Amino acid sequence: MRIWKKLMCLALSGAMCLGLLAGCAGEADGVSLSVCVGPAPVSLDPIYAEETGDQTILAHLYENLMRVTVDVSGSPTVTGGMAKTVDQEESYDGTVTYTFRLRSAKWSDGVNVKAGDFVYAWQRLADPASRSPYAALLSVVAGYDEARAAGDMTKLQVTARNDSTLVVVLSGHYDWFLTEVCTSPATMPLRQDVLQKLKDAAEERSQRPGGEKLRWWSDPMALVCNGPYQVESYTGGASLSAVVNERYYSNQAGPQTLVFHFADTAEEARSLYDHRTVDAVWPLTEERMAELAADENWTSIPEMGTYAVLFNCGREMLGDSLVRQAVHLAIDRDALTAAAGVSALAAGGLVPPGVPEGEEDFRTAGGALLDGGGETYEERCVQARALLSEAGYDSGVSLGEMTYLYEDAGSNGAVAQLICQMWQEVLGMRVTPVGVTNRELWAALRSGEYDLAGADLTAVGNDAECFLMNWTSGSSNNVVQYTNSAYDTLMAIIANAANSTARMGCLHDAEDLLISDCVMAPLYTRGTAWEMRETLTGACRDARGWFSFASVVTRVA
C-alpha cells in the first residue's frame, strides 16, 4: 500500500514551530545564524548522543530516512529525507514491511548514500555490545530479540535489497515507526569505512606521548556527513561552525552558516543572548521562566518525560503491592512539585502532557490517574497507614533500612530529602537519600541493586506506547522487575492493533493498570521554553528535545 501522499501531510505531533530574530550573526537573509542550546558536545556518535545540543548538531550534519520540515502554514511536517518513497505492506502473520527507495544523494566526500549505510547503522545501534541507550528504538523491528540474544545482528530484519532500496520488517503495527524511529538521530546512517578510518586515526593520536583518549568523532571537521551542513571549524568548548554541505541533494534556503555557541549553564547561555552573540537560546534560567510564567496567557512547552519514584518489585518488602500502595499514598505530590521548581507540573499519570492522541492530547483525553491535591493528603496518609497494617507491618520501621537513589543534579536533592521525610513522618520508614551520577543511577537500576529511586522516565518516541512498552515482563528496560500477564497481553494487543481508536483505548487501560499496581509513583512533569528574536522564522523544536534551524529565513513583514 503506497502511503507517501499521506506522509507528505503528516504533522509531527508535539514538535514546536518557532520564529527567530537575527541578532548580530543574522544580518542578512540566509547568511548566518548563531544559536546556543547547551554545553560543548558530550558525544557526536548518533547512538550515544543524549544531550539536546549534541542531538541538535547531529540533526544538521546527518539526514535520516524521514525528516521534519515546516510547511507553508508554519506547521511541522514529516516528509521524506533520504527516502524518496515509502511502501507499506501488512502480512497475514501480523508483521508489517516497509520498503524505502532512497533518493540519489551523496555523502560530503562525494560517495553515494546507500541502503547498506542504514543497515550498518541500525545493526550497530541494536547490538547489545554497543550499549546504546536508544537500542529500544529498534525493538519494534522483527528479529530484534533474536539478534541481541545470539549476538548476531544479521537476524535483525533490516536489509538492503540493493544500493537504493532498504527493507525493514516490523513485528507489529507500530503507528509511530515513521515519525519517531525514522526521524531519530540514533537511527541516522553511518559509513562503516569512514567510521573505521576515524577510529583508527583517533586511536593513533591517543597513543602519542601525552595524548588523551579520543573518540572517532572527536575531530568534528573530519566527519563525513549526508545532511544539509558539514563542520567548518571547531573550537572545543567555545563553538562549532557548520556551513552548507555543497553535496547535499537539495538547495539550502536557510542559513549558509550555522554557529553553535556552547554554555555550561543557563546563566551563561543567557549572557550570550543578552550580548547578542547568539540569536536563540535554550535552556532559560529559572528567573526567566518565572517571569514568563507570571503571564497567565503564557504556556511552557511540555518536556517528553515524567519524574517518578521507582519501586524495586524484586525486593521482598516492595514485592508486596499493599506496601507499595502505602508508600505511594504517603507522598504529597503537590509539595514535591513545588520543591522541583517553577517549570514543574504535578503528574497526572506516567504519560506526560504533549503526547498526541490523534489530534488531541493523550493526558487530557485520559484524565488524571493520580490524586496529588494537598487538600486530600491527610486522608491519603490515613489510608497509607491502614494498608501497611493490612500488609502485616505495625510501622515502616519493620520494613528495615532502605535507600532512595537519585541523580544529584538540579532540584533532585531537595525533592529526595523531602520525600524521605514524608515517608518517615507518615509511615515511620527509614529511607536514606543517596545522590549519585546519572550513569551510576541507571547502572543500579539496570542491575536491580536498589530499593527506591527517583528517575526521569522518558521515551524513545512521542507516543504513549513508547512510555508503556518498557514495563512488559520481557523488556530489558523493565528496571522495576514488574510482571503482570494482563499487562503483557494488553501491550501485545496494542502492538498489533490496526484500529487507532481501539489502540488508544488499550493504551489508556495499560497505563491505568500500571499505575494501579503501584510499581512507580509519577511525581511531576516539566515544561520548557527557549528565547528567540522575532525577524526570522522556520525553526522547529522536536518534541523529543532537539532543534532544527536549517529552514530559518527572514520573516516577511
Side-chain angles (χ1 to χ4, degrees):
M1 176 178 63
R2 180 58 59 89
I3 59 172
W4 187 245
K5 289 184 179 179
K6 177 181 177 182
L7 284 170
M8 290 295 287
C9 301
L10 180 64
L12 181 62
S13 299
M16 190 65 63
C17 176
L18 299 167
L20 298 171
L21 172 70
C24 57
E27 297 173 354
D29 191 11
V31 174
S32 181
L33 180 71
S34 290
V35 301
C36 179
V37 290
V42 175
S43 177
L44 291 181
D45 187 327
I47 70 170
Y48 299 119
E50 297 184 80
E51 303 299 322
T52 293
D54 299 3
Q55 293 175 335
T56 298
I57 292 172
L58 289 171
H60 292 84
L61 301 183
Y62 297 92
E63 184 162 294
N64 213 324
L65 292 167
M66 312 299 291
R67 65 191 180 105
V68 183
T69 60
V70 179
D71 64 19
V72 292
S73 69
S75 299
T77 302
V78 174
T79 63
M82 286 295 105
K84 186 176 181 180
T85 63
V86 185
D87 286 321
Q88 174 186 344
E89 183 178 353
E90 299 186 25
S91 178
Y92 68 91
D93 62 357
T95 60
V96 180
T97 299
Y98 284 89
T99 302
F100 300 90
R101 290 176 175 81
L102 306 186
R103 65 178 76 249
S104 178
K106 294 184 180 296
W107 291 92
S108 54
D109 63 356
V111 175
N112 291 335
V113 177
K114 300 177 181 178
D117 300 330
F118 283 95
V119 174
Y120 169 69
W122 287 32
Q123 289 182 348
R124 180 172 178 263
L125 171 62
D127 192 340
S130 296
R131 300 193 179 198
S132 168
Y134 297 104
L137 267 171
L138 300 184
S139 62
V140 300
V141 178
Y144 173 83
D145 291 332
E146 294 82 355
R148 287 174 65 87
D152 179 4
M153 293 305 107
T154 62
K155 293 181 179 295
L156 187 73
Q157 294 193 37
V158 178
T159 56
R161 181 176 297 168
N162 51 52
D163 285 349
S164 61
T165 307
L166 179 72
V167 179
V168 180
V169 181
L170 304 188
S171 57
H173 193 280
Y174 295 94
D175 290 352
W176 43 274
F177 172 68
L178 289 173
T179 60
E180 305 299 314
V181 177
C182 297
T183 60
S184 172
T187 55
M188 288 171 172
L190 288 174
R191 288 247 304 279
Q192 185 173 9
D193 62 320
V194 170
L195 193 63
Q196 189 59 54
K197 178 181 177 181
L198 293 179
K199 276 186 176 180
D200 292 342
E203 181 65 23
E204 191 277 329
R205 293 197 304 273
S206 298
Q207 292 178 354
R208 294 174 185 172
E212 61 178 316
K213 177 65 176 178
L214 299 175
R215 304 296 182 185
W216 66 268
W217 53 267
S218 295
D219 179 9
M221 290 185 289
L223 297 178
V224 176
C225 312
N226 74 317
Y229 292 91
Q230 63 185 102
V231 179
E232 179 183 49
S233 64
Y234 179 58
T235 56
S239 66
L240 179 149
S241 179
V243 296
V244 166
N245 177 6
E246 295 182 355
R247 289 194 169 96
Y248 186 57
Y249 64 85
S250 177
N251 291 330
Q252 183 58 27
Q256 298 299 294
T257 301
L258 183 57
V259 183
F260 296 93
H261 290 268
F262 307 129
D264 291 331
T265 66
E267 288 72 22
E268 290 178 14
R270 184 71 201 183
S271 178
L272 290 174
Y273 184 77
D274 288 343
H275 288 87
R276 305 187 74 80
T277 303
V278 299
D279 308 298
V281 61
W282 178 92
L284 302 186
T285 63
E286 280 285 303
E287 292 76 14
R288 182 56 179 152
M289 288 290 288
E291 290 176 6
L292 293 171
D295 181 352
E296 61 181 17
N297 294 318
W298 180 82
T299 57
S300 62
I301 304 167
E303 289 195 335
M304 207 180 74
T306 300
Y307 195 81
V309 176
L310 300 180
F311 300 90
N312 187 348
C313 299
R315 291 285 199 253
E316 180 181 354
M317 305 301 184
L318 296 173
D320 188 331
S321 63
L322 291 176
V323 173
R324 295 197 303 270
Q325 289 178 54
V327 176
H328 191 171
L329 286 170
I331 295 172
D332 184 346
R333 191 168 284 100
D334 281 354
L336 294 171
T337 300
V342 67
S343 65
L345 176 69
L350 173 59
V351 181
V355 175
E357 179 172 335
E359 296 185 0
E360 298 183 79
D361 182 274
F362 184 88
R363 182 75 282 132
T364 302
L369 302 180
L370 301 163
D371 183 0
E375 65 276 5
T376 63
Y377 183 54
E378 289 302 322
E379 179 183 336
R380 297 200 306 276
C381 290
V382 172
Q383 294 174 1
R385 287 187 283 266
L387 284 170
L388 196 62
S389 177
E390 184 181 345
Y393 301 98
D394 294 332
S395 76
V397 174
S398 304
L399 296 174
E401 299 279 351
M402 293 187 183
T403 57
Y404 173 85
L405 291 184
Y406 66 94
E407 182 186 358
D408 191 8
S411 61
N412 294 345
V415 170
Q417 293 290 337
L418 184 55
I419 199 170
C420 289
Q421 180 182 335
M422 291 174 183
W423 288 328
Q424 167 67 38
E425 293 176 351
V426 177
L427 298 175
M429 291 175 63
R430 294 174 294 178
V431 183
T432 302
V434 179
V436 295
T437 65
N438 182 269
R439 183 183 295 273
E440 291 169 336
L441 172 64
W442 283 97
L445 292 176
R446 292 189 178 102
S447 67
E449 296 300 319
Y450 76 99
D451 300 313
L452 299 153
D456 274 307
L457 301 181
T458 58
V460 294
N462 191 29
D463 188 278
E465 185 174 357
C466 299
F467 282 90
L468 299 171
M469 61 193 290
N470 290 337
W471 314 108
T472 57
S473 56
S475 172
S476 59
N477 294 316
N478 184 359
V479 295
V480 296
Q481 301 183 53
Y482 176 54
T483 302
N484 186 320
S485 59
Y487 186 81
D488 292 346
T489 299
L490 264 176
M491 295 309 298
I493 292 171
I494 291 164
N496 292 285
N499 182 288
S500 59
T501 301
R503 174 177 179 270
M504 282 300 169
C506 288
L507 284 168
H508 284 293
D509 289 343
E511 185 189 31
D512 194 12
L513 179 56
L514 194 66
I515 297 299
S516 298
D517 277 354
C518 287
V519 295
M520 62 187 63
L523 300 181
Y524 50 82
T525 61
R526 289 188 180 277
T528 190
W530 55 298
E531 200 81 33
M532 54 215 151
R533 311 193 195 274
E534 298 174 350
T535 59
L536 296 184
T537 188
C540 281
R541 178 187 183 274
D542 190 277
R544 290 161 286 184
W546 61 85
F547 296 84
S548 174
F549 299 105
S551 299
V552 171
V553 294
T554 301
R555 186 186 297 275
V556 177

